């Protein structure tokens, strides 16, 4: 196997959810690690449920996560001619045949088998009839072995044996001429050169059928790895009530893509006891040997904790690109400039999400400050007007607007007014932010800048004197 080629084949019948994102990530990481190729394929043959909106949402979510692809996206609906060619090969070789049995007849066969205590399945009635494609009711079935065992050699779960006698001659082409899922998937993987398939273990039931198609075509078998499902904290299958929302919703909730990548990879893969990974580190360390065999539990608190660590570990310049989206949601148009980066520096240590950060950053960008009623009543009164006037005057006169100079001004005001630091800092905080909670007073004043600081102190004096 010269070049590892993996793929992610979502069905565009909804948004990209946690399980699908994790599958895409495992395949992407392995391709990156091995300097192989990662292919994106849209399995849109379910015409009734597939939508362009879902396709767009899936692509947008992958791009947000930073999962790029080397080829694609391919669409199955554009590959029907390819499937037809391979179906004809299977019929010509005797590996598949036309079947004219009606749905009612097949149901009767299954009921008869069930009554005999056997597995309900198609009984092969048309297998030796050598039928031609007669009308719109004719389907194509794969001729499966009556005896023997199909063994799925799985790099995650180990070997799983399936008795061929329990796999009936399944349909590979519908009566309307469209290819069935198992056939289309195999042909896509063969023609795209896919040699490594990592997917959820809910697909394991399809694997023996797909292997039989590979064998019927004389094609090389890919490496299979079926990873266990992601479960909720109650060990039930992950659903909306567990927080199993679309990836796009996590973006809206203020999670960083690198934090999501970090958390998703830990849902089924480990590298010792390490929890925190940067993206480049994941690409370097990811392997298939350490994919877990047991189900992983989705934990919102762990995700939140990782997100907080990634926020603290990311440069303000990089964070700004993500924060602007959330500021815009609050009606704030900002740029990734030194001002915004300075704002971020003051908020990084105390922000668990980018939504937290954006909300806490609002006062930096507002032209007018709305004072919290209780805070204003307690701290913005006539007793502190003299102190505020001194602060505005002294700060305005500063030539070198640094923390050291601000500290000197505070000391001077403390000496002149006989006020303690807290009696100066808290009224100033309310005057500048409108609230009693903010980043450290000096770092906040530096980030805000001299001009805005003075303007807000003067506005607070005006507010008190009204």
């Amino acid at each position: 196997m010269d070049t590892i080629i993996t793929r992610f084949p979502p069905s565009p019948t909804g948004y990209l959810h946690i399980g699908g994102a994790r599958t895409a990530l495992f395949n992407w990481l392995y391709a990156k690690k091995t300097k192989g190729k990662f292919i994106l394929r849209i399995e849109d043959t379910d015409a009734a449920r597939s939508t362009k909106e879902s396709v767009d949402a899936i692509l947008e979510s992958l791009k947000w996560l930073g999962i790029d692809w080397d080829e694609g996206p391919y669409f199955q609906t554009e590959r029907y001619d390819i499937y037809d060619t391979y179906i004809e090969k299977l019929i010509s070789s005797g590996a598949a045949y036309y079947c004219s049995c009606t749905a009612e007849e097949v149901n009767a066969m299954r009921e008869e088998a069930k009554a005999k205590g056997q597995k309900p399945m198609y009984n092969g009635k048309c297998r030796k009839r050598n039928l031609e494609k007669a009308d719109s009711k004719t389907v194509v079935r794969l001729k499966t072995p009556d005896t023997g065992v199909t063994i799925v050699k799985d790099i995650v779960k180990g070997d799983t044996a399936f008795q061929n006698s329990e796999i009936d001659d399944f349909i590979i082409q519908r009566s309307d001429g469209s290819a069935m899922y198992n056939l289309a998937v195999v042909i896509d993987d063969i023609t795209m050169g896919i040699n490594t398939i990592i997917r959820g273990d809910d697909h394991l039931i399809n694997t023996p059928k797909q292997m039989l198609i590979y064998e019927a075509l004389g094609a090389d078998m890919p490496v299979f790895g079926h990873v266990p499902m992601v479960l909720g904290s109650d060990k039930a299958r992950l659903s909306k009530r567990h927080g199993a929302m679309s990836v796009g919703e996590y973006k809206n909730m203020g999670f960083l893509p690198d934090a999501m990548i970090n958390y998703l990879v830990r849902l089924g893969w480990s590298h010792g006891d390490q929890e925190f990974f940067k993206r480049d580190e994941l690409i370097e360390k990811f392997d298939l040997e350490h994919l877990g065999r047991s189900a992983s539990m989705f934990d919102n608190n762990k995700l939140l904790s990782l997100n907080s660590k990634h926020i603290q570990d990311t440069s303000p310049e990089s964070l700004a690109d993500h924060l602007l989206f959330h500021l815009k949601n609050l009606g704030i148009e900002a740029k990734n400039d030194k001002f915004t980066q300075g704002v971020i520096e003051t908020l990084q240590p105390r922000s668990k999400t980018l939504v937290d950060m954006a909300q806490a950053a609002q006062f930096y960008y507002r032209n007018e400050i709305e004072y919290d009623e209780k805070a204003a009543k307690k701290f913005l009164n006539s007793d502190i007007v003299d102190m505020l006037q001194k602060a505005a005057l002294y700060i305005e006169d500063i030539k070198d607007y640094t923390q050291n100079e601000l500290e000197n001004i505070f000391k001077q005001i403390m000496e002149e007014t006989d006020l303690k630091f807290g009696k100066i800092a808290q009224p100033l905080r309310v005057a500048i932010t409108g609230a009693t909670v903010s980043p450290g007073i000096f770092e906040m004043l530096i980030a805000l800048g001299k001009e805005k600081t003075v303007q807000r102190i003067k506005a607070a004096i005006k507010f008190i004197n009204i």
Side-chain angles (χ1 to χ4, degrees), residues 6-13 16 19-25 27-28 38-45 58-59 62 69 71 73-76 83 181 184-186 188-189 192 194 196-200 203 210:
T6 67
R7 44 69 153 182
F8 176 54
S11 297
T13 55
L16 180 63
R22 185 189 65 162
T23 297
L25 176 61
N27 284 280
W28 179 80
F38 173 68
I39 294 175
L40 178 62
R41 182 173 75 228
I42 306 297
E43 297 188 342
D44 58 343
T45 54
I58 290 168
L59 297 182
L62 289 173
W69 46 94
E71 288 185 20
Y74 296 105
F75 292 83
Q76 284 189 329
Y83 306 146
Y181 168 78
V185 167
V186 171
D188 285 341
D189 288 339
M192 294 176 188
I194 307 298
T196 307
I197 297 174
I198 308 166
R199 57 190 179 190
H203 285 281
Q210 294 171 9

Side-chain angles (χ1 to χ4, degrees), residues 388 392-393 396 453-463:
L388 290 177
L393 178 64
E396 199 166 20
T453 296
V454 172
Q455 285 176 354
R456 292 188 185 184
I457 296 172
K458 289 181 177 180
I461 296 170
K462 186 177 181 181
F463 171 81

